[in-house]
Amino acid sequence: NLSLFFAKHKTVVILCLVVIFIFGVLGFPYVASWQTKIMLDAGRLDDAQWWLTRYEWSGKSQAQAAFYRSTLASRRGDIQKADQWLKTAADLGYPKNEIKRSWGILRARVGDFAAIQNQWKELLEHPGADGESIYRGFIVFALATGLLDDAEKVVALWQAYAPQQAEPYRYAGLIYSLKNDWPEAIHAYEQGLSFASNDEDMIAGLAESYMKQLQFEKALLLWQKLHAIAPHSVQAVTSQADCHSKLGESGEGEKVLKKSYSLVEHDPQAMSILGRVYLEQGKVQDSIDAYEKSISLQPEDIAVKRDLLHAYRVAGTVGLMMSKILMVNDRRALKGAIDLGIAMQLTNISRDIV
């Protein structure tokens, strides 16, 4: 039947095949170009490269191919190559407005914000498929220049642009933290963690926000979670001990720091907190040693020096009390009385050891 049909309509069949061939040859470059753009916009970069290669084979437009190459390199983070392809596209006569826009996006990616200060409005109003790069670039620029309100507005645009993405909520939490708006920071970090539950930066940000709100129990659970995810995080260990101290659990804080001592021993904040938890337990000489180590690591920290002075006063209290009982009136003897108090503390420690 097929043979009879072909014999009867041979001319028509051949004509149809010729038409299909002609349209296929002529239309393929447009299909390849269209598919390349769709794949780039969808973030399917390997597929975009496959279609782009076919488009280049067609030889349809070298300028368009160079522009696609620039966009592909940009999305892959190869800014140098993206710049080179963009220059090639410009030299081949690609539309100047598209070149300018892509150039601005590349400058945002590398942090050259001064070069595009007059271009932000246009980029933000028409982000297209590059919204993520544009929004992130502007927020980094705004944070660096103290434009917190502007950064907050752009974060809201980003959240609407990509409602299921965690990153804009991470930036929102940071912005609210810088504005000391802790309830909003908590809300932003909690939303972000609903999309990326193990994001270390957001866990730390949420824990710090809870601490600012004096919600130390919630903060402690988060620091423990972060420590489980990132066992080598000095911040997680130190902040756990800090929370224990604030909750009146100095012994637990000491245990946390001692368990990870090799990790935190060169961190001045950790040594300062260790000094505090020792002092809260009456381990005065240990407290002094920890505070002195903290100061040796960060000599300019005035607060720790005040804490060390307080520890010395605690250590010398017994000696000063004895000087009053013995009716010592010469103020020059008070230093010796403080030394006596410290010596008695050391004697107590020695007795415990023996």
Side-chain angles (χ1 to χ4, degrees):
N1 292 338
L2 187 60
S3 300
L4 290 173
F5 176 83
F6 183 76
K8 187 175 180 180
H9 303 285
K10 183 177 180 181
T11 304
V12 175
V13 171
I14 293 174
L15 182 60
C16 288
L17 291 173
V18 170
V19 170
I20 291 171
F21 176 78
I22 291 173
F23 274 99
V25 171
L26 294 177
F28 179 77
Y30 298 100
V31 172
S33 176
W34 176 62
Q35 285 291 333
T36 300
K37 187 177 187 308
I38 288 176
M39 296 302 136
L40 285 171
D41 291 348
R44 295 168 56 179
L45 302 185
D46 290 339
D47 291 335
Q49 181 167 336
W50 190 90
W51 280 106
L52 176 53
T53 302
R54 273 68 188 168
Y55 180 72
E56 289 172 329
W57 287 351
S58 73
K60 180 64 178 176
S61 171
Q62 291 183 343
Q64 180 69 73
F67 185 78
Y68 283 149
R69 284 287 175 192
S70 175
T71 305
L72 182 61
S74 174
R75 301 274 167 85
R76 284 178 165 164
D78 191 340
I79 305 302
Q80 183 178 2
K81 187 173 289 186
D83 266 328
Q84 292 171 351
W85 279 113
L86 191 63
K87 185 178 184 303
T88 300
D91 292 342
L92 292 170
Y94 201 73
K96 291 182 180 180
N97 60 323
E98 292 293 333
I99 295 292
K100 180 182 177 183
R101 172 186 166 78
S102 292
W103 181 85
I105 293 169
L106 289 175
R107 301 285 72 72
R109 281 180 175 271
V110 298
D112 188 5
F113 305 122
I116 54 172
Q117 279 190 335
N118 297 326
Q119 202 175 340
W120 279 122
K121 186 174 184 296
E122 177 188 345
L123 291 173
L124 291 170
E125 287 178 351
H126 306 286
D130 297 293
E132 183 179 329
S133 298
I134 293 169
Y135 294 140
R136 183 188 299 108
F138 180 84
I139 291 167
V140 172
F141 161 72
L143 290 175
T145 53
L147 302 173
L148 297 183
D149 290 339
D150 290 334
E152 184 179 345
K153 292 175 183 176
V154 173
V155 159
L157 292 176
W158 192 354
Q159 289 169 340
Y161 177 86
Q164 303 298 314
Q165 199 174 80
E167 190 174 5
Y169 293 99
R170 186 189 306 125
Y171 277 114
L174 174 59
I175 292 164
Y176 288 127
S177 297
L178 292 172
K179 298 174 81 170
N180 295 322
D181 190 344
W182 303 112
E184 286 296 332
I186 288 171
H187 180 64
Y189 283 130
E190 286 178 338
Q191 284 186 291
L193 286 169
S194 70
F195 302 118
S197 60
N198 290 334
D199 186 291
E200 295 176 23
D201 290 336
M202 285 196 289
I203 293 171
L206 181 57
E208 288 172 346
S209 300
Y210 275 135
M211 291 183 74
K212 292 293 184 180
Q213 292 291 93
L214 307 182
Q215 298 183 46
F216 299 113
E217 295 91 345
K218 291 182 178 180
L220 178 58
L221 291 174
L222 286 163
W223 290 124
Q224 289 170 341
K225 177 180 178 179
L226 180 60
H227 191 203
I229 296 170
H232 300 293
S233 170
V234 173
Q235 183 185 22
V237 174
T238 302
S239 298
Q240 281 183 75
D242 193 12
C243 285
H244 279 302
S245 172
K246 299 289 174 50
L247 290 167
E249 303 166 353
S250 301
E252 292 301 316
E254 179 187 346
K255 288 178 185 177
V256 168
L257 289 169
K258 282 188 171 180
K259 185 176 180 180
S260 301
Y261 190 78
S262 61
L263 176 66
V264 301
E265 64 178 323
H266 299 298
D267 182 74
Q269 184 184 10
M271 292 300 99
S272 174
I273 293 173
L274 183 59
R276 188 210 307 161
V277 297
Y278 275 142
L279 192 60
E280 289 168 348
Q281 297 175 85
K283 300 177 179 180
V284 182
Q285 188 57 48
D286 289 334
S287 173
I288 289 172
D289 293 342
Y291 279 135
E292 286 182 339
K293 182 161 187 177
S294 177
I295 291 171
S296 71
L297 295 168
Q298 193 168 320
E300 67 277 8
D301 194 325
I302 302 299
V304 178
K305 290 180 180 178
R306 285 199 296 264
D307 292 336
L308 175 61
L309 179 60
H310 174 64
Y312 271 118
R313 286 171 176 165
V314 171
T317 298
V318 174
L320 291 171
M321 288 176 63
M322 289 181 64
S323 70
K324 291 292 184 182
I325 293 170
L326 297 172
M327 294 182 291
V328 176
N329 297 316
D330 190 341
R331 292 185 63 83
R332 290 175 298 177
L334 295 182
K335 184 179 183 302
I338 292 172
D339 290 339
L340 174 63
I342 294 172
M344 293 177 74
Q345 291 282 349
L346 291 172
T347 301
N348 285 335
I349 293 170
S350 300
R351 180 196 63 199
D352 293 339
I353 293 172
V354 173

